[in-house]
Amino acid sequence: MKLETTFGQHWRAHPDARPIFEKLSSDLHAAEERWQKRYCEPFWDACRRLVQTPAPTITAATFKAMLIEAEEVWNDTELKADCMEIVEADFARLRGECSKPFDPAQWLATFEGYGGGYVVAPDGALRLVHSCDSELKNEACRMRKNVSSEQLRMIERHIKRENDDGSVWDRRLATYREAAQALRLHSDEPCDFEALSAECDAYEAQTAIHADAHVEALRKLLLTPAPNLRALRTKLDLFDDLEVADGWTMAPQAAAQLARDARALIAEESSC
């Protein structure tokens, strides 16, 4: 519009307009290339990576199929795989997994790996607990919503069998002690690295790994029913010494489990 205003309706034929037009065209082309490199190429790369990643659930496979259609990933010349074959492989694999017998032990291990847990009420009823404040815990939330009533009963029976002999408590107490010892030993190591150095970053990364393992082991231990008064004392000491009630997201569930433990063990003592 500016060229037409300056040089008239037939500006394309004006000799003075051509250099300006060529400069504007070059600038536009450069801007489009920068925009593509900064925004489009990372998005296309993310699409290719996502499409080639095996879908973990039917929902994920469906999303992948919709993404392929909406973004025309099938037309991406840098994607060497066939999109139809990818989608078919996802659904075939997931169909096979859905036909496998439900394994309550495997389900519970996966659920806890995503940050979920459970508490057992005095009447024996199982309550699955989780938070939805992170990507992993969102997956725990999804698992809880998708478990059927019959599968929940199978999980309850599995937990009861393990809790009856105290084996779950013993394993989780041992895991917690190992995690606490590892964190303590790491914390005792000298840390005189220069701030922001590679050595300092590596040390802090290792600290985060040990701290996460310690918190996860503590969470599982506190949400495990105490099989006896000694175990309850251990949980009470940890709850108090580590100030679990001070801002920990699972503190209400842990406190509720302590109350259930106390009621169950007091009732057991009273009946003797």
Side-chain angles (χ1 to χ4, degrees):
M1 185 63 68
K2 179 181 177 181
L3 292 175
E4 184 173 344
T5 302
T6 304
F7 299 104
Q9 184 177 0
H10 302 291
W11 61 269
R12 292 179 183 275
H14 198 289
D16 294 337
R18 177 167 294 279
I20 299 175
F21 172 72
E22 290 178 349
K23 175 65 167 57
L24 292 173
S25 297
S26 177
D27 290 347
L28 177 61
H29 180 69
E32 288 175 341
E33 285 191 336
R34 288 195 300 271
W35 180 80
Q36 176 175 309
K37 189 172 185 62
R38 182 172 182 179
Y39 299 107
C40 297
E41 291 182 7
F43 176 73
W44 295 336
D45 183 62
C47 286
R48 286 192 293 271
R49 290 174 180 272
L50 183 60
V51 165
Q52 294 179 92
T53 300
T57 63
I58 293 293
T59 302
T62 303
F63 175 83
K64 184 191 292 188
M66 294 173 64
L67 175 71
I68 290 171
E69 179 66 21
E71 300 299 337
E72 297 186 359
V73 182
W74 49 268
N75 201 32
D76 188 335
T77 56
E78 293 191 27
L79 181 65
K80 306 305 179 184
D82 184 283
C83 288
M84 182 59 72
E85 291 179 358
I86 290 175
V87 172
E88 288 178 349
D90 276 337
F91 281 102
R93 186 188 70 260
L94 293 168
R95 184 170 60 249
E97 290 179 359
C98 290
S99 64
K100 295 178 182 177
F102 179 74
D103 184 344
Q106 182 60 47
W107 188 95
L108 189 61
T110 303
F111 182 68
E112 290 180 330
Y114 286 139
Y118 66 88
V119 293
V120 180
D123 61 1
L126 174 69
R127 297 178 184 174
L128 297 172
V129 295
H130 54 77
S131 173
C132 291
D133 59 358
S134 72
E135 184 177 347
L136 283 181
K137 290 176 182 176
N138 282 335
E139 190 65 18
C141 181
R142 182 197 64 77
M143 289 183 68
R144 175 63 187 90
K145 289 179 179 178
N146 291 341
V147 70
S148 69
S149 298
E150 176 57 32
Q151 290 170 340
L152 191 59
R153 285 191 289 271
M154 293 172 67
I155 297 168
E156 286 179 344
R157 291 193 292 270
H158 166 72
I159 291 173
K160 185 176 186 304
R161 283 194 302 270
E162 291 210 320
N163 282 344
D164 282 347
D165 62 4
S167 61
V168 174
W169 170 262
D170 291 340
R171 287 199 307 273
R172 291 184 174 177
L173 178 59
T175 299
Y176 170 74
R177 286 173 172 168
E178 289 175 3
Q181 176 72 359
L183 178 61
R184 188 160 47 248
L185 290 174
H186 177 73
S187 300
D188 289 342
E189 293 177 3
C191 180
D192 52 0
F193 307 116
E194 183 179 349
L196 302 180
S197 66
E199 293 83 359
C200 183
D201 290 345
Y203 180 86
E204 291 180 352
Q206 194 64 35
T207 300
I209 291 172
H210 286 301
D212 288 346
H214 176 262
V215 170
E216 180 63 11
L218 176 65
R219 181 188 67 80
K220 288 184 177 181
L221 184 66
L222 291 181
L223 293 180
T224 300
N228 50 51
L229 288 173
R230 183 178 180 180
L232 177 58
R233 174 62 185 271
T234 298
K235 291 174 72 172
L236 287 169
D237 287 344
L238 289 171
F239 193 92
D240 185 38
D241 294 345
L242 300 178
E243 300 180 348
V244 172
D246 186 16
W248 192 44
T249 57
M250 297 290 281
Q253 291 89 339
Q257 184 60 52
L258 283 171
R260 294 187 188 95
D261 290 341
R263 283 196 298 266
L265 293 170
I266 290 171
E268 184 179 312
E269 287 286 319
S270 300
S271 65
C272 295

